[in-house]
Amino acid sequence: QQKVQQSPESLIVPEGGMASLNCTSSDRNVDYFWWYRQHSGKSPKMLMSIFSNGEKEEGRFTVHLNKASLHTSLHIRDSQPSDSALYLCAASGNNNNRIFFGDGTQLVVKP
Amino acid sequence: AQTIHQWPVAEIKAVGSPLSLGCTIKGKSSPNLYWYWQATGGTLQQLFYSITVGQVESVVQLNLSASRPKDDQFILSTEKLLLSHSGFYLCAWLGVAETLYFGSGTRLTVL
């Protein structure tokens, strides 16, 4: 059973537009969320982490977390073609020995 | 600064042949280490984790084994490769804020 669900599977946004990605965990033990970006043929790189309810902003990237619903979202404003990649959501409980990934959202930013 | 090195970068192997993939981390004492596998177009799936030398826990059975012979080294191996073993193998270590940092990966093709 998949513990981390992401939506949409794929997303196309115009250059300069806003991309919004979603992630929900079905495991009530999850406490921590991360967002990773994986360009084609490369390894995932951590973009942002969020562990508390609320919002966190870093440059063009904003993440939200609602711990009650175990839902996190990633928003990319002023999207650039270089943002085109697979975006992965990861989640873990207090036991950091198990870190689960979702299937990802494939983002394409069209010039 | 911590660095993680995976070897080899890529492998093409025959079904039934043995395999050994390696990962070395420098600049971090007693790291938690992880192996993940990503089928082409697939989800990142955790295979093993290790918190100390000689101690490895299996997360999913894929006819693979792992060992931690030294504090800074994590090895993934099998005596007999299957077609289904093809994919992208990623080693990771647990860094600041419980975040996974991945190596560059090994792309394995089994023919």
Side-chain angles (χ1 to χ4, degrees), chain B residues 1-99:
Chain B
Q2 297 84 10
T3 58
I4 182 166
H5 173 62
Q6 280 190 248
W7 74 91
V9 172
E11 278 267 47
I12 299 175
K13 304 277 278 187
V15 169
S17 62
L19 175 78
S20 182
L21 304 180
C23 165
T24 299
I25 176 163
K26 298 298 182 189
K28 172 79 175 166
S29 176
S30 302
N32 284 14
L33 295 175
Y34 304 75
W35 278 110
Y36 279 82
W37 171 71
Q38 188 178 37
T40 303
T43 309
L44 265 175
Q45 190 166 18
Q46 187 177 351
L47 300 175
F48 300 94
Y49 66 87
S50 171
I51 61 172
T52 192
V53 173
Q55 195 174 329
V56 176
E57 298 296 327
S58 172
V59 175
V60 64
Q61 287 296 328
L62 284 181
N63 292 308
L64 295 167
S65 60
S67 64
R68 187 151 173 195
K70 300 181 194 176
D71 188 53
D72 64 351
Q73 200 173 77
F74 205 16
I75 306 295
L76 183 71
S77 60
T78 183
E79 292 187 2
K80 233 179 210 186
L81 278 166
L82 307 172
L83 281 174
S84 57
H85 284 136
S86 291
F88 197 33
Y89 288 85
L90 290 153
C91 181
W93 63 281
L94 197 68
V96 175
E98 307 297 297
T99 296

Side-chain angles (χ1 to χ4, degrees), chain A residues 2 34 36 38 41-46 49 51 86 88 96-103, chain B residues 32 34 36 38 43-44 46 49 51 59 88 90 94 97-104 107:
Chain A
Q2 182 77 318
W34 298 262
Y36 283 78
Q38 185 178 24
K42 304 292 186 184
S43 60
K45 297 282 188 284
M46 201 272 291
S49 59
F51 303 155
L86 182 67
L88 297 163
N96 59 23
N97 292 329
R98 301 291 305 273
I99 302 175
F100 303 97
F101 283 80
D103 290 341
Chain B
N32 284 14
Y34 304 75
Y36 279 82
Q38 188 178 37
T43 309
L44 265 175
Q46 187 177 351
Y49 66 87
I51 61 172
V59 175
F88 197 33
L90 290 153
L94 197 68
E98 307 297 297
T99 296
L100 278 180
Y101 293 92
F102 289 93
S104 299
R107 193 158 302 279

